[in-house]
Amino acid sequence: MKLSTSYKDIWKVSLPIIIGSAAQNVVAMTDSIFLYYRSEDDFAAIGFVATFYIIIAAIGFGFSRGGQILIARRAGQRKPKEVGTVFYHTVYFEVFLSVLMFLFMTYGAYWLFASLVDSNVIFDKALEYLEMRKWGVFASYLGVACIALYTGIARPVFVVVDTFILAATNIFFDRALIFGLYGFPEMGIAGAGLASTIAEYVALLVFLIYMAFDKKNRIYNIIRLPKYNPIIIREIFSLSVPIVAMSVVGLGSAFVFFGLVENFGERALAVTNIVRIAYLILSVPAWGFCTGINTLASYFMGRGERGNVLIVLRKTSWLCLGLTTLMILPLLAFPNQVLYPILGDERAYLIELAYPVFWVLWGILVTFSFGSIYFNGLIGAGETKLALKIQSATAALYVVLIFVVVRSSWGNLVLAWSVEIIYWLVILIASLYHFKRKGWFDNSLDRTGKETPK
């Protein structure tokens, strides 16, 4: 493959990933919407437990991104056979990791939820959902390994198709199993967990069939299972651990946020879930661009073109901001009309209560568009340990500030959400400081990152 810093190539890599990276967001959002129509308790509970499961999914995705970065690096170095080797070692690791996560959800989730949730109703419903949802972790982790291959070699188009299959399957089984339609039993929130699990296995099966018939991947030795190499596993692990830790720290702070907001009452948790649905939709472009940046930055580093990394970071940030702004403006102008097709008349009062937070969400997305892109530029460039330090310190500050807001007499939901603006501003400033300190903005570097004559 050959990539440039043009907007065309940024779109070529990022747009399919934007759609494909929505997979877990689509599943979580679909579960939330159908449970919204069932009861307010179910709706509040899914906001809490779905955030927890997204953390589990993010751990697998984080390790796959380590594989993706290595795959892109090997592709940039024009070593196609090593691409296949890295892919299969990513699969080996994901299989092992999925077993560990399944055991944790089986034996550890009860104690974790008990320490965070005050409401017995939310606690019981969260465990009911997870009992069915945990079986999907095996399909989820194998699926992200397949996605890592196709995003790493900048051929992510089929990821879009597979995401649509995932979403359609999840929607069908959500309706069938939550409400007991089409001859299926009525299972409520447990049905949402089972529906999402079935959808992930269907999506994985379709992806594997596609890979079996894809002749273009033959140059990567995909049809041949390589011998286990602990050196490659250590390389993936070394690169991925900071990425996974960053995902856990970032999403973990969001999980703590949901647990603390529950102190405002179950109504506040339901309102927060309305905002979360909007956030899940509106943040899809940013997360997609972030994954694309991992590929682009690693590719240019593999080619020794460091200057091109900054070019794609700048262009991608503005693309992300423009697309996100276009998406949120209708919500700010006509919130009821935008959300009515999704949420209908049932508990429409929650939309009114959530409206002030939507304006805060705009500020979050503006800072998110720049902070997340430059931060993932560090990751793609191989500065994963530094990125972990930045995010850990920032997440600690975030949790402290959230705790202060929630526990204070003057605290409210708007202020609690506003803390995330501070979070992304700190991430952006720290990332820019690193690039500046390392001389990345030196004008004596041309677009290929090589010293120009003086």
Side-chain angles (χ1 to χ4, degrees):
M1 68 176 184
K2 186 174 182 180
L3 298 173
S4 71
T5 61
S6 67
Y7 283 107
K8 179 182 177 181
D9 274 2
I10 293 174
W11 274 113
K12 172 187 171 183
V13 173
S14 299
L15 186 57
I17 299 174
I18 288 171
I19 300 173
S21 67
Q24 287 300 329
N25 285 7
V26 167
V27 169
M29 183 182 69
T30 304
D31 291 347
S32 295
I33 290 170
F34 281 109
L35 290 171
Y36 171 86
Y37 286 98
R38 181 174 172 82
S39 76
E40 189 170 319
D41 287 339
D42 282 337
F43 184 61
I46 195 63
F48 172 77
V49 70
T51 303
F52 167 77
Y53 190 82
I54 286 177
I55 297 172
I56 297 295
I59 292 173
F61 183 59
F63 278 105
S64 77
R65 282 173 72 187
Q68 173 198 330
I69 290 170
L70 285 178
I71 287 169
R73 192 71 52 83
R74 298 295 183 267
Q77 294 167 344
R78 297 179 179 87
K79 298 177 179 178
K81 291 187 178 180
E82 291 188 21
V83 166
T85 302
V86 172
F87 163 68
Y88 275 112
H89 281 77
T90 303
V91 171
Y92 299 156
F93 195 88
E94 293 287 350
V95 170
F96 171 75
L97 191 63
S98 64
V99 173
L100 292 183
M101 290 299 103
F102 178 82
L103 293 174
F104 170 71
M105 286 186 283
T106 300
Y107 300 106
Y110 179 95
W111 307 105
L112 177 63
F113 291 1
S115 66
L116 290 173
V117 176
D118 294 329
S119 168
N120 290 331
V121 173
I122 301 298
F123 176 76
D124 291 338
K125 287 185 176 294
L127 289 178
E128 189 179 347
Y129 174 85
L130 192 63
E131 183 61 29
M132 293 295 178
R133 191 70 179 94
K134 67 184 181 182
W135 295 97
V137 70
F138 304 106
S140 174
Y141 280 24
L142 286 174
V144 294
C146 297
I147 291 171
L149 171 64
Y150 279 84
T151 53
I153 61 175
R155 286 186 55 215
V157 175
F158 187 75
V159 176
V160 177
V161 178
D162 204 53
T163 300
F164 278 117
I165 292 171
L166 173 71
T169 306
N170 193 51
I171 289 170
F172 173 80
F173 282 105
D174 261 344
R175 281 180 55 83
L177 294 169
I178 291 175
F179 301 107
L181 302 177
Y182 318 124
F184 289 89
E186 183 178 350
M187 298 175 64
I189 194 170
L194 180 56
S196 300
T197 294
I198 292 172
E200 288 193 312
Y201 278 101
V202 170
L204 174 63
L205 178 62
V206 171
F207 211 124
L208 292 176
I209 293 172
Y210 171 78
M211 289 179 64
F213 287 94
D214 180 17
K215 294 181 179 179
K216 291 183 179 179
N217 67 27
R218 299 297 186 264
I219 64 171
Y220 303 114
N221 258 3
I222 295 301
I223 60 175
R224 184 177 180 182
L225 197 67
K227 184 179 178 181
Y228 175 80
N229 187 338
I231 296 176
I232 297 177
I233 290 291
R234 283 198 297 269
E235 193 175 1
I236 293 173
F237 185 80
S238 176
L239 184 60
S240 299
V241 163
I243 298 175
V244 172
M246 284 181 283
S247 296
V248 172
V249 167
L251 291 169
S253 60
F255 183 58
V256 172
F257 173 77
F258 268 81
L260 291 174
V261 164
E262 191 251 352
N263 287 272
F264 285 139
E266 292 175 9
R267 175 65 52 81
L269 191 57
V271 170
T272 289
N273 205 14
I274 292 282
V275 181
R276 185 182 70 92
I277 290 174
Y279 199 1
L280 285 173
I281 298 171
L282 295 169
S283 64
V284 164
W287 289 122
F289 279 122
C290 287
T291 307
I293 277 297
N294 290 156
T295 293
L296 289 165
S298 184
Y299 173 83
F300 288 124
M301 290 296 289
R303 291 176 63 89
E305 299 173 0
R306 192 180 74 166
N308 283 344
V309 175
L310 287 179
I311 295 173
V312 294
L313 289 179
R314 174 174 51 81
K315 289 183 175 181
T316 303
S317 296
W318 284 107
L319 279 175
C320 182
L321 177 62
L323 184 55
T324 303
T325 300
L326 287 175
M327 290 174 64
I328 197 174
L329 287 179
L331 177 65
L332 296 175
F334 312 104
N336 291 308
Q337 290 83 346
V338 170
L339 293 176
Y340 180 81
I342 300 175
L343 302 177
D345 290 324
E346 295 288 329
R347 288 169 288 281
Y349 59 88
L350 293 175
I351 299 175
E352 299 294 332
L353 294 173
Y355 183 68
V357 188
F358 291 152
W359 286 94
V360 176
L361 187 57
W362 191 10
I364 292 172
L365 291 167
V366 170
T367 52
F368 185 17
S369 295
F370 286 88
S372 62
I373 298 301
Y374 275 89
F375 182 71
N376 275 275
L378 287 180
I379 296 171
E383 298 283 357
T384 54
K385 292 181 180 179
L386 172 67
L388 174 59
K389 292 178 182 178
I390 292 172
Q391 188 165 38
S392 298
T394 309
L397 173 65
Y398 173 82
V399 170
V400 169
L401 292 176
I402 287 294
F403 185 84
V404 170
V405 170
V406 171
R407 295 294 186 179
S408 299
S409 58
W410 43 265
N412 57 54
L413 205 56
V414 172
L415 287 175
W417 274 92
S418 299
V419 174
E420 189 157 344
I421 296 176
I422 299 174
Y423 175 89
W424 287 114
L425 277 175
V426 174
I427 290 285
L428 173 61
I429 292 169
S431 300
L432 288 173
Y433 173 77
H434 168 75
F435 284 122
K436 183 179 177 63
R437 186 171 64 88
K438 293 291 186 178
W440 284 59
F441 291 101
D442 189 346
N443 290 330
S444 65
L445 294 176
D446 67 9
R447 64 184 300 276
T448 65
K450 298 176 182 178
E451 194 80 22
T452 55
K454 296 183 179 179

